[in-house]
Amino acid sequence: MNIKSALLWVATGCMLAACQSSSYKICGTAEGQEDGDTLFLTTDLTNGIPCDTTIVSDGKFTFEGKADSLTLAMVYSARRNEVNANFFLEPGEIDVNISEQPGASRVGGTECNDKWQELVDSVMAIGKRINLIAEHIYGNTVSEEEQAKGMEQIEKLNQHFADVLKEKARKNIKNEFGYFLLTYYPEEVLDNQTRLELIGQLPDNMRNRDAVKQLEEYIKKKSMTAEGTTLPDFSQPAPDGTVISIKEEIGKHKITIIDFWASWCGPCRHDMPGVVELYKEFKDKGLGIVGVSLDNDANAWKKAIDQLKMTWPQMSDLRGWDNAAAQMLSITSIPHTVIVDSKGVILARGLRGEELRQFVAERLK
């Protein structure tokens, strides 16, 4: 089942090394729950598989156990999954007050949970504004101009969220909460320059953890294909079975957009009409596009190309997220664009929508 998170950006579980094993006790209230109702405790925020169960009595509940590590967890109602609260399992007495209203649950009582609630309070208003704008531009028939304006507003709000997160991470980088923020949030929120800065400020006992070493290795690999570097050559099959060399393709154009996408990717499909129009407008002025699909299913891939009217070259090794080019370029989310010149120098990464159009128009004016 899908468990709805109390915070827009929380989607998967995360486990952090703690200093020592110790006991926790969760004391909470559950709004709208009746005596005898069941509450589940889970650390599997993807599937919601319970690791403990308790019964509500007089609107209250408790859980007790050992916190062998600092773990992001959730308490949720067996009767109404959307009634839930995210919090950290950590030593001490944890307060969890579950509300029936989305985003209104509150936690505290221990160091990380107090800090977590502070962060939630800071960004919840941002999340609500993003949701309202998204519901308006995607749930209604609006003009392209209004849709572009809404997307611009969402981008600004996302940047505001990132700024808040950076401030919290810098303030807490010497403690476990700061470590959580550093290792949990992706580069789309915490950019790699900021993450390297934060890694350098970690205490030695955190700095030497495997998760940090893996993060550093990822950033190092990503820097090898950053803006200003030269794209390595790679080849993959086209839909008709012939093999396309990216080096040969980009040599045909002044600039080329390498578009990482997939038939199953909703945001990719949403963006594609704009990319089609961009190609029509600038293909005779020196713009090339090469699609690199993270599909596994050849039929779904080919069908999407026709449906979305993608008339530029396409390639895929049909290995999904293990696509060799995506791995080479450290692609962790799609849609993702890499823009190169005719010699393969990477000019920009990650541009979408109006930002992508403006960049192309400026380069090919």
Side-chain angles (χ1 to χ4, degrees), residues 53-317:
T53 304
T54 195
I55 300 299
V56 175
S57 176
D58 195 26
K60 299 177 181 179
F61 66 91
T62 61
F63 287 97
E64 294 187 59
K66 293 286 187 180
D68 294 325
S69 58
L70 183 68
T71 311
L72 190 60
M74 176 188 287
V75 172
Y76 66 95
S77 167
R79 181 163 53 88
R80 296 176 58 197
N81 295 164
E82 71 276 10
V83 178
N84 59 58
N86 290 103
F87 66 100
F88 285 102
L89 281 180
E90 62 178 330
E93 187 163 312
I94 304 166
D95 299 323
V96 177
N97 300 301
I98 304 175
S99 173
E100 290 185 294
Q101 301 301 314
S105 296
R106 300 192 67 80
V107 302
T110 55
E111 182 179 12
C112 282
N113 283 301
D114 288 341
K115 294 179 183 298
W116 177 249
Q117 188 62 56
E118 286 179 14
L119 178 61
V120 172
D121 290 342
S122 298
V123 302
M124 189 56 69
I126 302 173
K128 287 179 179 178
R129 290 174 64 189
I130 289 174
N131 286 340
L132 285 173
I133 296 169
E135 287 172 5
H136 174 66
I137 63 176
Y138 296 132
N140 299 283
T141 302
V142 299
S143 66
E144 290 185 7
E145 182 180 356
E146 189 173 1
Q147 189 174 79
K149 183 179 179 181
M151 289 301 298
E152 183 180 350
Q153 292 174 324
I154 288 174
E155 286 300 316
K156 288 181 179 178
L157 288 167
N158 279 330
Q159 185 56 54
H160 182 36
F161 165 67
D163 291 341
V164 170
L165 196 68
K166 288 176 186 178
E167 179 187 354
K168 295 290 184 184
R170 289 188 177 109
K171 183 178 179 181
N172 291 283
I173 199 57
K174 302 295 185 183
N175 60 50
E176 292 287 351
F177 186 66
Y179 175 84
F180 163 77
L181 297 179
L182 168 64
T183 55
Y184 181 75
Y185 284 96
E187 62 190 290
E188 289 79 12
V189 181
L190 279 180
D191 61 88
N192 286 334
Q193 182 177 348
T194 300
R195 294 203 285 187
L196 283 175
E197 170 197 329
L198 292 170
I199 287 172
Q201 297 174 24
L202 283 170
D204 289 344
N205 66 318
M206 297 181 185
R207 177 74 175 73
N208 293 322
R209 291 175 183 173
D210 287 342
V212 176
K213 293 177 180 178
Q214 291 170 8
L215 180 57
E216 282 188 294
E217 184 62 29
Y218 168 81
I219 294 172
K220 180 181 178 181
K221 181 182 176 183
K222 184 71 175 285
S223 70
M224 296 172 67
T225 55
E227 294 176 10
T229 62
T230 300
L231 181 77
D233 189 22
F234 59 87
S235 300
Q236 291 188 12
D240 63 3
T242 60
V243 176
I244 296 176
S245 162
I246 196 67
K247 185 176 182 179
E248 290 181 8
E249 284 299 322
I250 64 180
K252 300 174 183 178
H253 312 283
K254 292 181 181 178
I255 62 172
T256 300
I257 300 170
I258 305 170
D259 181 33
F260 288 85
W261 70 289
S263 65
W264 44 261
C265 169
C268 301
R269 299 183 76 103
H270 176 269
D271 283 5
M272 205 57 69
V275 180
V276 169
E277 290 303 313
L278 182 69
Y279 186 59
K280 288 179 181 178
E281 184 176 354
F282 289 99
K283 65 178 181 178
D284 294 331
K285 298 179 181 180
L287 174 66
I289 302 179
V290 178
V292 181
S293 171
L294 273 61
D295 273 284
N296 297 102
D297 185 326
N299 291 330
W301 173 40
K302 294 172 185 178
K303 183 178 179 181
I305 292 171
D306 291 337
Q307 286 178 334
L308 298 170
K309 298 179 173 57
M310 302 160 71
T311 57
W312 49 86
Q314 296 284 338
M315 62 168 68
S316 179
D317 58 14

